[in-house]
Amino acid sequence: MTEKATSEAPACGLEETASESAYVPPTEPSGDTAAPQAPGGEQAPGGQQASEPQESSHQPPDPAASAAPAAPAATDPALPREDVPSAPLLLAVEDVSDSSVTVSWEPPERLGRLGLQGYVLELRREGALDWVPVNARPMMVTQQTVRNLAVGDKFFVRVAAVSSAGAGPPAVLEQLVHIQETIEVPKIRVPRHLRQTYIRQVGESINLQIPFQGNPKPQVLWTHNGHALDSQRVSVRTGDQDSILFIRSAQRADSGCYELTVQLKGLEAKAAINILVIEKPGPPSSIRLLDVWNCNAALEWTPPQDTGNTELLGYTVQKADKKTGQWFTVLERYHPTTCTVSDLIMGNSYSFRVFSENLCGLSASAAVTKELAHIIKTDIVAKPKSFVERDFSEAPSFTQPLADHTSTPGYSTQLSCSVRASPKPKIIWMKNKMDIQGDPKYRALSEQGVCTLEIRKPSPFDSGVYTCKAINVLGEASVDCRLEVKASATH
């Protein structure tokens, strides 16, 4: 049994016909077979002159193959039936294009006692009597493609198995093979950025390149809002795979729906592209000052008559002080047609203007108020609140008392306490209830309510009870402590 494979045998020349019995040793299958010519110079389907078979220069001839016939011939009645193969099975057309046909078959049930040498494929033009071999030599393949056919060719196909004893009965394809032009259904591939409204500004160029498919080349038609294009403004160039629409300087009248139609033999594809050509809007029609109060001014204006062929994004409101004349933006992309401008400075006069805005930007001019908004400065009278002075007077009180202290003779020591009083109190230091002010041995300090008594080089005689007394007009207070000066031990 032979394996199923795709191969195309070389075409025979004019001198090689179905009646030849001997042939040149087979070459390698090339996968390509040109359309053969019929005997007597009649061209086989496709009208192409078949090329002469090429001899193989690197393979030795096969003695068994050299005895096999090149085309199916009548089996010799003297040969036993078992010596020749039976007809191939399941002959069918695999593919038909506008210049080729591919057929396939299955090996025969009976290969013959002498073995199978290959297959010979033959074609017969519609209305002709002679079968013309496609391959002059048997080929061990079960699928073949015949190329170089012409559109309009009609022919029958048969294939026969060949052994050393001869060709067996052929398998004939019942239906007629018709070579027709391949038609590719037209399709339009709209680029992604053109699937939504394509926006351009006045004066810019429009260049649309729309790819399409279709074979043979389809007819391409453009329309604008259902009407033919104006050739004075719009140019169209159509190639094999795309169509280009070009407008050098776009105007607002070029806005609308452009429809591309691709037609091919009753089939068609359509695509619609929406183009919007816009420009800057006009200013608001009018503006007036409604009211002025305190530091506020109310404005009102009317929409512009020309929006620039597109929707407005809003309004820009500006103010200018009469003194400086500089404009400052108060509101941007503001949609209502009334507004209140606040935080104006008293004593100044203001002008206001309003711009319209769309995708192209602000309008070239603005609507300006005719009258000024005067922010009147009102008289301000200061009304101070009555102030009640707080009385901070306080009798003396000690917040930190004196602490008992032990000292060493000959080393100065300090006694400290803290007192709070208003007005500032008088501080008196006493030892054993006796006033010690004026004694050079003692130094009294008082700062920020902290009272300190320094005893210079005390001796045991300075031991005793020390008192600090604070006195003001509201009262007095005192604190005591004991100081002990220990005599140094003698050895």
Side-chain angles (χ1 to χ4, degrees), residues 50 60 101 217 229 265 363:
V101 61
K217 183 179 178 180
L229 299 179
K265 295 187 177 181
S363 56

Side-chain angles (χ1 to χ4, degrees), residues 180-207:
Q180 297 179 342
E181 187 176 28
T182 302
I183 298 178
E184 183 181 3
V185 177
K187 294 181 181 179
I188 301 175
R189 294 178 296 171
V190 179
R192 184 181 299 274
H193 70 281
L194 296 178
R195 296 177 188 174
Q196 54 188 359
T197 301
Y198 185 56
I199 300 177
R200 305 296 289 171
Q201 294 188 25
V202 171
E204 294 182 342
S205 62
I206 296 177
N207 189 9

Side-chain angles (χ1 to χ4, degrees), residues 42-63:
E42 181 183 357
Q43 193 175 15
Q48 302 284 345
Q49 177 66 35
S51 61
E52 289 292 335
Q54 297 180 356
E55 296 291 341
S56 175
S57 60
H58 61 281
Q59 291 185 352
D62 187 352

Side-chain angles (χ1 to χ4, degrees), residues 324-339:
T324 62
Q326 295 182 353
W327 292 97
F328 297 94
T329 299
V330 178
L331 299 170
E332 287 184 307
R333 294 195 175 181
Y334 182 74
H335 290 278
T337 56
T338 59
C339 75

Side-chain angles (χ1 to χ4, degrees), residues 98-249:
D98 55 0
S99 62
S100 65
V101 61
T102 301
V103 295
S104 66
W105 58 89
E106 296 292 337
E109 293 182 354
R110 189 180 69 254
L111 302 180
R113 291 185 303 176
L114 301 180
L116 186 65
Q117 297 295 317
Y119 303 90
V120 174
L121 182 67
E122 295 179 317
L123 307 179
R124 180 172 65 83
R125 185 186 294 274
E126 183 183 29
L129 299 177
D130 297 328
W131 290 89
V132 181
V134 174
N135 50 305
R137 304 169 184 80
M139 300 182 67
M140 289 296 291
V141 295
T142 57
Q143 181 169 297
Q144 268 187 270
T145 299
V146 182
R147 303 189 183 278
N148 301 328
L149 302 175
V151 175
D153 284 346
K154 297 180 181 180
F155 51 87
F156 293 95
V157 179
R158 74 178 185 182
V159 65
V162 180
S163 69
S164 300
V172 182
L173 191 66
E174 295 181 359
Q175 69 269 25
L176 185 70
V177 178
H178 187 193
I179 303 300
Q180 297 179 342
E181 187 176 28
T182 302
I183 298 178
E184 183 181 3
V185 177
K187 294 181 181 179
I188 301 175
R189 294 178 296 171
V190 179
R192 184 181 299 274
H193 70 281
L194 296 178
R195 296 177 188 174
Q196 54 188 359
T197 301
Y198 185 56
I199 300 177
R200 305 296 289 171
Q201 294 188 25
V202 171
E204 294 182 342
S205 62
I206 296 177
N207 189 9
L208 307 181
Q209 182 177 7
I210 311 299
F212 62 81
Q213 297 176 346
N215 186 39
K217 183 179 178 180
Q219 181 182 2
V220 176
L221 177 66
W222 283 91
T223 60
H224 179 209
N225 293 332
H227 301 87
L229 299 179
D230 182 3
S231 59
Q232 300 295 325
R233 291 195 44 75
V234 184
S235 59
V236 175
R237 184 185 65 82
T238 300
D240 293 336
Q241 296 181 345
D242 60 11
S243 182
I244 299 176
L245 181 144
F246 180 75
I247 301 176
R248 184 173 301 278
S249 179

Side-chain angles (χ1 to χ4, degrees), residues 4-66:
K4 184 160 185 174
T6 302
S7 178
E8 298 163 17
C12 65
L14 292 175
E15 71 278 10
E16 291 179 317
T17 64
S19 61
E20 292 178 328
S21 59
Y23 66 97
V24 181
T27 60
E28 287 294 324
S30 65
D32 230 341
T33 300
Q37 275 194 332
E42 181 183 357
Q43 193 175 15
Q48 302 284 345
Q49 177 66 35
S51 61
E52 289 292 335
Q54 297 180 356
E55 296 291 341
S56 175
S57 60
H58 61 281
Q59 291 185 352
D62 187 352
S66 61

Side-chain angles (χ1 to χ4, degrees), residues 452-486:
T452 304
L453 177 66
E454 181 180 355
I455 306 174
R456 299 187 179 110
K457 296 181 180 180
S459 62
F461 175 77
D462 294 317
S463 298
V465 177
Y466 287 84
T467 303
C468 179
K469 180 182 289 187
I471 304 172
N472 69 0
V473 294
L474 297 179
E476 64 179 42
S478 64
V479 289
D480 301 329
C481 74
R482 179 176 291 277
L483 175 65
E484 182 179 359
V485 180
K486 293 184 178 180

